[in-house]
Amino acid sequence: MMKEFDVVIIGAGPGGMTSALYASRANLSVVMLDRGLYGGQMNNTAAIENYTGFKSVMGPDLAKDMYKSSTQFGAKYAYGVVESIEDHGRYKIVHTDSGDYQATVVIIATGSKNRKLGIPGENEYAGKGVSYCAVCDGNFFRNKKVIVVGGGNSAISEGLYLSHLVAQVVVIHRRDQLRADKVYQKRAFANPKMKFVWNSNVTKINGDGKKVTGVEVRNKKTGKTSHLTTDGIFIYIGNVPMTSAFKNLKITDAKGWIKSNDQMETRIPGIYAIGDVRENQLRQIATAVGDGGIAGQNAYEYIQSLNDSKN
Ligand code: NAP
């Protein structure tokens, strides 16, 4: 049976939850659909220090607080893997693996997922030493040696988090300079447990069949390949958009990020896109929350304008 709401929000990360808060507070019926736990990437983030109002907060804790706040005016949260959206002008149908939804407004807030290295051993040892989440898996490596791949904010902030648990963190980066914010760089370079391997790519993950034992690393400048022993490897090399379900709508750029304007409108009236899934320079909790507020408010304005045009 088709479930009907004024607004269907796809994705319950910080952006989606903020849209839910704004739209439900404006008395619209709202459901947030998610394929997993609400909170999105906040669940994989240790300390968040750049969200106003908190000196430092654990990602999963902030996710819980946002969820409580976003559902206080009646917004619902439901499980569903969205397969496609059909645009029928004044209404949209959202197809999921657990039923269909009809809505006047759809807000896409699906975010992005971890980019993979795509090297031998990565899939084979996933969960056996290969991880994309320090908060989830760091504890398994207490007093052991781990490698972090990448040079962005995720790699360095999660490397710093890991340094409180493990004996050593070796950061392997493909250039000779980090992309991460200076505040993280300063802390990482001053951290005695953190070491850096520059200008290098991890080309293979080795193991004994049960767990990771080491990696092969190729220095881009010398061409030399070396073997580093490790108990675990945390991969933080950026993200790719989660937009495969929306291909038919032709709202993405060549790389798959959704194009939405400063009102969060896509080219299709009634379909908005917010947060990390947008074609955007800055991907932060603060920007996702800002986008979410705009889309939630615009959902109300859009529905009002449709109602006015009927009268
Ligand atoms: P990112 O900023 O895109 O950085 C990805 C890093 O991985 C870069 O250093 C990049 O190298 C490297 N890389 C990319 N592809 C690679 C490959 N195939 N092999 C090896 N290395 C590769 O991604 P992110 O760190 O996950 O951050 C994503 C977004 O979230 C960013 O906007 C970031 O600012 C934000 N974020 C913010 C915070 C914070 O403010 N506290 C924390 C986490 C994330 P190059 O440098 O050579 O390109």
Side-chain angles (χ1 to χ4, degrees):
M1 206 180 68
M2 183 89 73
K3 291 161 220 141
E4 284 184 36
F5 288 86
D6 294 321
V7 184
V8 167
I9 299 168
I10 307 173
M17 289 196 278
T18 307
S19 286
L21 170 63
Y22 274 66
S24 60
R25 193 162 177 268
N27 217 19
L28 300 176
S29 61
V30 178
V31 65
M32 291 183 271
L33 302 176
D34 204 294
R35 64 202 300 163
L37 182 63
Y38 57 79
Q41 288 192 46
M42 290 191 292
N43 290 315
N44 302 343
T45 307
I48 296 165
E49 297 177 336
N50 55 358
Y51 188 59
T52 321
F54 298 87
K55 195 168 171 219
S56 180
V57 59
M58 290 290 285
D61 292 341
L62 184 57
K64 267 185 225 140
D65 285 345
M66 282 192 183
Y67 179 72
K68 276 189 227 150
S69 154
S70 68
T71 50
Q72 68 183 305
F73 297 105
K76 302 274 182 274
Y77 164 73
Y79 168 83
V81 178
V82 172
E83 289 161 349
S84 62
I85 301 173
E86 270 175 49
D87 174 36
H88 294 272
R90 291 177 83 97
Y91 71 97
K92 328 284 173 202
I93 307 287
V94 178
H95 296 284
T96 84
D97 65 346
S98 31
D100 294 343
Y101 291 78
Q102 182 174 321
T104 312
V105 166
V106 175
I107 299 175
I108 302 173
T110 42
S112 57
K113 62 182 176 191
N114 299 106
R115 178 180 286 131
K116 290 193 163 189
L117 280 167
I119 55 172
E122 187 176 15
N123 289 339
E124 187 184 345
Y125 288 104
K128 299 173 185 167
V130 174
S131 174
Y132 305 85
C133 178
V135 183
C136 322
D137 300 329
N139 207 34
F140 297 125
F141 299 93
R142 270 185 191 273
N143 304 318
K144 294 185 175 176
K145 194 173 153 186
V146 298
I147 282 169
V148 168
V149 187
N153 278 330
S154 298
I156 305 308
S157 62
E158 299 308 308
L160 284 162
Y161 169 76
L162 285 166
S163 74
H164 297 298
L165 302 170
V166 304
Q168 190 184 55
V169 178
V170 177
V171 176
I172 301 179
H173 182 38
R174 64 182 180 182
R175 291 189 293 134
D176 62 357
Q177 270 181 8
L178 297 177
R179 178 182 292 277
D181 293 348
K182 289 280 182 269
V183 60
Y184 288 135
Q185 294 198 26
K186 213 171 148 191
R187 280 183 218 164
F189 293 142
N191 188 317
K193 284 195 188 169
M194 290 183 74
K195 305 280 174 244
F196 293 84
V197 175
W198 302 107
N199 299 310
S200 298
N201 282 320
V202 177
T203 51
K204 189 174 177 216
I205 297 168
N206 294 318
D208 59 10
K210 288 188 181 152
K211 57 179 174 38
V212 167
T213 54
V215 296
E216 275 171 31
V217 181
R218 186 173 178 278
N219 184 298
K220 287 164 70 184
K221 292 234 157 124
T222 63
K224 213 180 122 200
T225 297
S226 49
H227 181 85
L228 298 182
T229 58
T230 190
D231 298 297
I233 171 167
F234 288 82
I235 300 167
Y236 286 109
I237 58 163
N239 301 307
V240 288
M242 298 222 264
T243 49
S244 56
F246 317 122
K247 273 210 174 98
N248 64 317
L249 298 174
K250 300 193 177 11
I251 53 175
T252 56
D253 68 10
K255 289 185 176 166
W257 303 98
I258 299 181
K259 295 196 247 185
S260 60
N261 63 17
D262 63 1
Q263 292 304 308
M264 307 305 135
E265 296 159 325
T266 66
R267 65 170 197 88
I268 302 175
I271 300 184
Y272 299 80
I274 61 169
D276 282 11
V277 78
R278 295 178 70 206
E279 190 181 52
N280 207 353
Q281 283 299 315
L282 191 62
R283 295 194 169 92
Q284 300 275 303
I285 296 170
T287 51
V289 163
D291 291 356
I294 293 169
Q297 178 62 20
N298 282 342
Y300 170 76
E301 306 282 353
Y302 174 77
I303 289 171
Q304 280 299 111
S305 72
L306 290 185
N307 290 342
D308 290 347
S309 71
K310 265 195 233 162
N311 301 330

